[in-house]
Amino acid sequence: MPELNIPAHIAIIMDGNGRWAKQRGLPRTEGHKAGTETARAVVTRCRELGVKHLTLYTFSKENWSRPESEVKTLFKLLTTFLTREEKSLKEQGIRLKVLGEIDDMPMAVRQVLKHVMRQTKNCTDMTLNLALNYSGRDEILRATKALVAKGISVDEITEEAFAAELWTGGQPDPDLIIRTSGELRLSNYLLFQCAYSEFYFTDIFWPDFSSEELEKAIAVLGNRQRRFGKTGDQLDNGE
Ligand code: IPE
Ligand code: IPE
Ligand code: MG
């Protein structure tokens, strides 16, 4: 395998669990269960590859409008996943962080999230952000309110000051955003942070996403020129 240029921050929209299950004549729950296994494998692979920040879109604010039984299942799977993975996350040096309001989540999830975050707070090999109860627009409003509440002056409102108030404060913007399942949209994900992210869309449903696919996405990114407004010639000349 050629040497991969590893992005510092990968963000993933894990989509297609329901359709994966439907294709097999299984209940959606089975798709979510299989998706959990994919998430576990991708976390481990990212950490092995040296990715420093991995963000997984786990539950959007909009997902609350799904049938209550599905929402319950999703939180139950998350609770089981975290309980089971606590030790392994710690051993792998992975710090858990939540992007989203924890206090609006069911008690059992809240407890396990807080516990695992506490247990892994000194881990430095990789940060695993779970976007949970997450909405990009809501995050932007929340940051705005936080700045106003601080009494910040108009001149002090900079991109940096604003970014520091986002859930991702202190972390770099995602270099690569991956979405599985063939949907070509952001679904309210990391709206401020994605300004210069590269996008990678695949038709593969999340439960079928593999380490090979992850490496393919990273390799594709390596073949793109990120120009940040400059011309290709400027970059070729090292400017
Ligand atoms: C992603 O799979 C998981 C969550 C959004 C929680 P979906 O459940 O959205 O699967 P599809 O899109 O219905 O196939
Ligand atoms: C986005 O997937 C949210 C997560 C992956 C958690 P959805 O399946 O909810 O997105 P839409 O509603 O189809 O855009
Ligand atoms: Mg979906």
Side-chain angles (χ1 to χ4, degrees):
M1 194 179 71
E3 190 74 4
L4 285 175
N5 207 346
I6 302 301
H9 187 170
I10 298 179
I12 307 183
I13 303 175
M14 313 184 285
D15 199 11
N17 292 350
R19 280 163 285 164
W20 180 91
K22 196 168 181 185
Q23 241 182 17
R24 287 162 177 74
L26 298 169
R28 292 177 61 85
T29 325
E30 290 303 314
H32 295 313
K33 231 187 244 171
T36 309
E37 292 309 312
T38 306
R40 188 159 58 97
V42 166
V43 168
T44 298
R45 190 68 193 127
C46 279
R47 141 78 177 64
E48 283 170 359
L49 288 169
V51 174
K52 284 299 197 185
H53 308 262
L54 172 66
T55 303
L56 299 179
Y57 207 173
T58 309
F59 190 85
S60 71
K61 268 216 147 129
E62 290 76 16
N63 288 145
W64 286 110
S65 54
R66 291 192 178 198
E68 199 185 324
S69 60
E70 177 161 345
V71 172
K72 265 199 181 139
T73 301
L74 285 167
F75 281 113
K76 185 139 198 293
L77 282 171
L78 177 65
T79 310
T80 311
F81 174 82
L82 289 169
T83 308
R84 211 182 56 188
E85 294 304 313
E86 176 194 336
K87 193 161 158 260
S88 160
L89 288 173
K90 218 171 157 179
E91 279 167 7
Q92 294 177 84
I94 300 174
R95 176 174 73 125
L96 181 75
K97 233 189 112 55
V98 172
L99 314 184
E101 202 60 72
I102 293 184
D103 289 338
D104 296 341
M105 285 180 242
M107 175 73 101
V109 192
R110 231 154 61 198
Q111 278 176 343
V112 72
L113 281 170
K114 285 184 180 168
H115 174 73
V116 179
M117 283 194 291
R118 221 179 301 120
Q119 289 297 315
T120 60
K121 72 175 193 306
N122 295 322
C123 295
T124 54
D125 285 355
M126 182 174 90
T127 298
L128 170 63
N129 299 304
L130 297 183
L132 263 175
N133 186 22
Y134 178 85
S135 147
R137 283 190 171 180
D138 185 74
E139 180 184 37
I140 288 169
L141 291 181
R142 195 176 159 274
T144 310
K145 287 177 189 172
L147 289 179
V148 171
K150 276 185 178 169
I152 190 170
S153 73
V154 170
D155 290 344
E156 286 169 327
I157 303 176
T158 59
E159 286 190 15
E160 290 71 29
F162 195 86
E165 298 296 338
L166 299 171
W167 293 111
T168 46
Q171 299 190 58
D173 288 339
D175 303 288
L176 173 63
I177 297 185
I178 298 172
R179 182 169 193 152
T180 58
S181 91
E183 306 299 349
L184 304 180
R185 57 177 173 266
L186 268 179
S187 302
N188 211 359
Y189 196 39
L190 304 173
L191 298 183
F192 187 88
Q193 298 88 334
C194 74
Y196 261 106
S197 302
E198 294 290 332
F199 290 87
Y200 180 89
F201 295 102
T202 167
D203 287 340
I204 293 172
F205 293 139
W206 177 248
D208 286 333
F209 191 80
S210 58
S211 293
E212 292 73 46
E213 285 300 322
L214 173 76
E215 283 164 36
K216 204 163 109 187
I218 295 174
V220 166
L221 175 71
N223 289 328
R224 293 191 195 163
Q225 189 178 47
R226 302 182 72 191
R227 287 194 280 276
F228 299 100
K230 292 186 178 178
T231 67
D233 286 347
Q234 281 178 298
L235 291 167
D236 292 341
N237 295 331
E239 288 177 35

